[in-house]
Amino acid sequence: MADSAAVTILNTGESYLCPPDVALLDAGLAAGLHIPHSCRGGACGTCKARVVEGTVDHGWVMSFAITDEEKAEGYCLTCQSKPTSARVALRMVNDMVPRAAAPTVVPSEFEATVLAAHRVTPTVMRVVLAVPAGMRFAFNAGQNLEFVVPGLVQPRPYSIVEAPGADGTPPVGQLSFYVTRHDRGHASGWLHDNLRTGDAIQVRGPYGEFHLPAGDGPLFGLAGGTGLSPVLSLMADALAAGFAGPARLMVSVRDRREIFAFDALSALARAYPNFGARFTLTREASVPAPWLSGRITDLLARDRPDLSGARVLIAGAPAFVDAVRSAAITCAAAPASIAVDSFVSRNPDAGR
Ligand code: FES
């Protein structure tokens, strides 16, 4: 099949064309559809759909994201699957809103200039990119950009730290990121070792659907390490939009050397008196003020904050997100009022 497939999403009735060598999700996002997705690496299952008409090539997926039984029943992961028939009709498993009901944020690929790339802790690097002058790049708070790293088949997503401006574009045309170096991480190792101010780097996006839960309740952010980025983006966006209720953020890092972004958090707290942020150190027994000591799960179990009515944002490594989500529920957080974003592993070729 050389021609593009005509793809229809039955949930909304929207259609788009998908070339045979492009994933169903990517073509749909490029067409402006709001197809549910998260990792884009065949590992989380967020983009799962039932193939109601036509056929697909499943590509590389993790068995815990979609089982062989599910594939036999006609399900696929749209982030990995490519069309193999002229027509494909899909029914997404997760809810989705039609294109017209949400602001238009369409991913693209472009070359960004590195404005800064420097280590801010022993393991975390801050990267600032400039969007090309004259290019209109819009994103939603909580989204990520994928960095194309030499030698890796799949690019690696990193969350944008800022909230978009009122017009949906980056403030002063710049986007910043925090990149944790992982022991066996090809992508993070390459970025730490090679990225320099003045370089050009190929990026794709924005992607991701981490967003504020519905409602107007207090905001409670719980971040593990550089999981801070998407939580901070969403909280800053809510504050800029006029949210005046309590907005509390807790960030977990190993020790004082790993504290980062404290300047940005302090600036936000000064601009918005209803916002406050605390760092908790998990590997230091004796901790002076203003730092806290212990894991976030232990602090929630000890202090038992009343999270009924709160909107809870959790981001970090998968084990952190799972444990903190459970702890938040024991503090009366409603599951529907919890939004999570975790660093899910991707295709082994992709690295971290
Ligand atoms: S977005 Fe497709 S499996 Fe995660």
Side-chain angles (χ1 to χ4, degrees):
M1 188 193 69
D3 294 337
S4 293
V7 183
T8 302
I9 304 290
L10 298 174
N11 308 58
T12 60
E14 294 167 306
S15 297
Y16 61 96
L17 293 175
C18 181
D21 57 347
V22 175
L24 293 160
L25 173 69
D26 287 354
L29 294 178
L33 273 66
H34 296 275
I35 299 176
H37 66 281
S38 181
C39 73
R40 295 185 66 254
C44 73
T46 308
C47 66
K48 193 178 294 176
R50 183 173 200 127
V51 183
V52 177
E53 179 189 346
T55 55
V56 302
D57 173 355
H58 285 277
W60 186 94
V61 294
M62 285 191 176
S63 56
F64 54 79
I66 185 168
T67 63
D68 289 341
E69 290 74 27
E70 287 178 304
K71 284 192 220 169
E73 288 169 12
Y75 289 92
C76 75
L77 297 180
T78 59
C79 69
Q80 301 299 305
S81 299
K82 295 168 183 164
T84 53
S85 58
R87 301 181 63 80
V88 175
L90 302 170
R91 184 169 294 284
M92 305 306 301
V93 170
N94 286 312
D95 292 341
M96 80 180 256
V97 293
R99 180 171 23 192
T104 303
V105 169
V106 179
S108 61
E109 179 166 347
F110 59 94
E111 191 174 83
T113 303
V114 179
L115 299 179
H118 52 263
R119 202 81 49 87
V120 292
T121 82
T123 64
V124 176
M125 181 172 70
R126 177 172 180 261
V127 177
V128 182
L129 301 183
V131 174
M135 174 186 173
R136 188 177 191 285
F137 173 84
F139 69 106
N140 294 320
Q143 287 196 298
N144 63 68
L145 210 56
E146 294 184 341
F147 288 34
V148 178
V149 173
L152 294 182
V153 174
Q154 285 198 338
R156 173 70 169 91
Y158 291 99
S159 293
I160 300 166
V161 178
E162 291 83 13
D167 63 352
T169 64
V172 298
Q174 299 181 8
L175 299 163
S176 62
F177 307 83
Y178 290 110
V179 178
T180 302
R181 181 170 201 141
H182 295 281
D183 289 343
R184 292 184 304 281
H186 298 297
S188 61
W190 188 90
L191 291 168
H192 273 246
D193 291 341
N194 295 284
L195 209 61
R196 298 287 179 268
T197 299
D199 286 353
I201 184 167
Q202 203 70 13
V203 292
R204 298 176 188 165
Y207 296 112
E209 299 205 313
F210 188 42
H211 59 272
L212 281 186
D216 57 4
L219 294 176
F220 212 79
L222 302 166
T226 49
L228 170 64
S229 300
V231 175
L232 178 55
S233 174
L234 281 172
M235 295 185 83
D237 192 51
L239 294 165
F243 178 71
R248 300 282 175 261
L249 172 59
M250 192 180 294
V251 190
S252 167
V253 297
R254 287 183 194 171
D255 53 46
R256 264 174 287 183
R257 296 178 309 154
E258 290 294 342
I259 293 171
F260 64 99
F262 191 55
D263 51 348
L265 296 174
S266 299
L268 203 61
R270 186 167 289 210
Y272 300 100
N274 55 324
F275 173 78
R278 303 289 302 272
F279 276 86
T280 183
L281 314 180
T282 60
R283 298 201 185 166
E284 280 192 38
S286 168
V287 174
W291 320 119
L292 300 169
S293 174
R295 297 181 183 281
I296 286 179
T297 46
D298 296 335
L299 297 178
L300 290 177
R302 184 195 72 190
D303 299 339
R304 292 277 169 168
D306 179 11
L307 299 184
S308 58
R311 291 174 292 165
V312 184
L313 300 165
I314 305 170
F320 171 91
V321 168
D322 288 348
V324 173
R325 186 177 185 280
S326 298
I329 289 172
T330 65
C331 295
S337 295
I338 301 174
V340 303
D341 191 26
S342 66
F343 319 138
V344 180
S345 298
R346 308 180 88 187
N347 183 324
D349 291 333
R352 296 178 72 190

